[in-house]
Amino acid sequence: MKPSFIFSFLRVATGFLFYSLIVITVAVIVTSALKFSGNSIGMAKSVFSYEVMGFGTNNGTPEIHYSADKLVQYTSIPNRYHLEVEPASVLGYYSFFSTVVNLLLGIVILWLFKRIFSEANLAEPFKPSIFKRLKILALLFAVSDVFKFAHYLIFSRLLHRSISIPEFQYITEIGNGIITGLIIYAIAVIYQRGLSIQEENALTV
Amino acid sequence: MPIIVNLDVMLARRKMSLSELAEQVDITLSNLSILKTGKAKAIRFSTLEKICEVLDCQPADILEYGK
């Protein structure tokens, strides 16, 4: 596959994802605003839902099932709950805030990717603006993990106020953002070296 | 940079213009300007050889180390 084709595809894909996320963000904000004001006729009652683990109750040992050929074993996950949060509540307002922050972060990340791919030119691959954007991207990915961790702490605290037993723990993955951020930062450092080599080459007579 | 390019001095001595030199050395005028103004980060031996050949001089006549 030609690199120019891959770049064109990435340009279109990031553009599409960027505008889609803007539409989704606007839809979430409008839907939530309608729910907060109580004008949610014909809409599902709740906007925000979460998967949580519950501790402090004993539901017994889960039953083990097998496939017909006995090659696959499966069990249900005990103490796993699906939460739906009432929008017009402290948890609802907080959920709205954290959702919007995450969506905005996603929009900024996609915008940066979109700019990088639109500025990328195989004839002159190294540009200072792309290096700058790569560094910002690395930082944003790391920040997204900090947000996730803060969200985990705040959400668990607010939830514990409403329900004390079982003690719910919000299921989330923390660490991916920092790893992605570090990888992008490493790419940015290599890119910076490429940039200086390109500059040196241009100033060699 | 402590490396001083005396290309303009040599051009004046040989009564040659920069564009004439560019033409004879077969490099672009912009590249030669980069060298003349001291903005160049490196010079190829082949370029230096051609310049010396055209200007009938030594590399030390063009490049000088100054503190």
Side-chain angles (χ1 to χ4, degrees), chain A residues 196 199-205, chain B residues 31 39-44 47:
Chain A
S196 66
E199 196 185 276
E200 214 170 274
N201 189 47
L203 290 174
T204 298
V205 292
Chain B
N31 268 349
K39 287 178 188 168
K41 288 204 172 182
I43 180 165
R44 290 188 189 92
T47 312

Side-chain angles (χ1 to χ4, degrees), chain A:
Chain A
M1 208 180 285
K2 281 184 181 176
S4 57
F5 173 76
I6 295 169
F7 271 89
S8 304
F9 171 75
L10 287 170
R11 243 170 250 147
V12 174
T14 49
F16 174 75
L17 287 172
F18 171 69
Y19 291 114
S20 302
L21 201 60
I22 287 177
V23 171
I24 290 168
T25 308
V26 170
V28 166
I29 291 171
V30 170
T31 318
S32 302
L34 286 173
K35 292 214 182 247
F36 291 144
S37 63
N39 296 329
S40 55
I41 305 154
M43 287 186 197
K45 195 170 183 270
S46 184
V47 191
F48 309 107
S49 59
Y50 297 93
E51 291 290 321
V52 294
M53 288 292 282
F55 297 94
T57 55
N58 188 8
N59 291 353
T61 315
E63 200 182 334
I64 302 168
H65 305 273
Y66 294 93
S67 61
D69 53 6
K70 300 269 182 187
L71 292 175
V72 182
Q73 174 191 309
Y74 57 97
T75 54
S76 63
I77 300 168
N79 300 324
R80 196 162 179 154
Y81 297 87
H82 178 79
L83 288 188
E84 291 217 343
V85 178
E86 176 65 42
S89 65
V90 177
L91 209 53
Y93 291 126
Y94 170 71
S95 297
F96 169 70
F97 172 74
S98 69
T99 306
V100 170
V101 166
N102 276 328
L103 285 169
L104 290 177
L105 197 65
I107 288 174
V108 175
I109 287 173
L110 279 174
W111 179 79
L112 285 167
F113 271 121
K114 185 175 163 288
R115 293 293 303 163
I116 286 171
F117 291 125
S118 61
E119 280 174 16
N121 176 12
L122 289 172
E124 197 194 334
F126 301 103
K127 287 180 182 172
S129 60
I130 294 180
F131 168 64
K132 199 174 118 191
R133 289 189 212 289
L134 279 173
K135 274 200 305 185
I136 297 170
L137 259 179
L139 185 72
L140 282 178
F141 271 105
V143 164
S144 76
D145 249 17
V146 174
F147 277 168
K148 267 188 201 171
F149 185 63
H151 174 63
Y152 169 78
L153 291 178
I154 296 167
F155 184 79
S156 299
R157 202 181 174 89
L158 288 175
L159 191 60
H160 196 65
R161 273 195 207 165
S162 307
I163 309 161
S164 53
I165 294 173
E167 193 182 327
F168 287 125
Q169 293 283 312
Y170 174 51
I171 301 168
T172 184
E173 281 179 14
I174 298 168
N176 291 351
I178 288 177
I179 291 167
T180 312
L182 285 174
I183 291 168
I184 292 177
Y185 186 74
I187 292 169
V189 170
I190 296 165
Y191 191 90
Q192 189 188 24
R193 182 77 187 116
L195 194 66
S196 66
I197 290 171
Q198 183 182 269
E199 196 185 276
E200 214 170 274
N201 189 47
L203 290 174
T204 298
V205 292

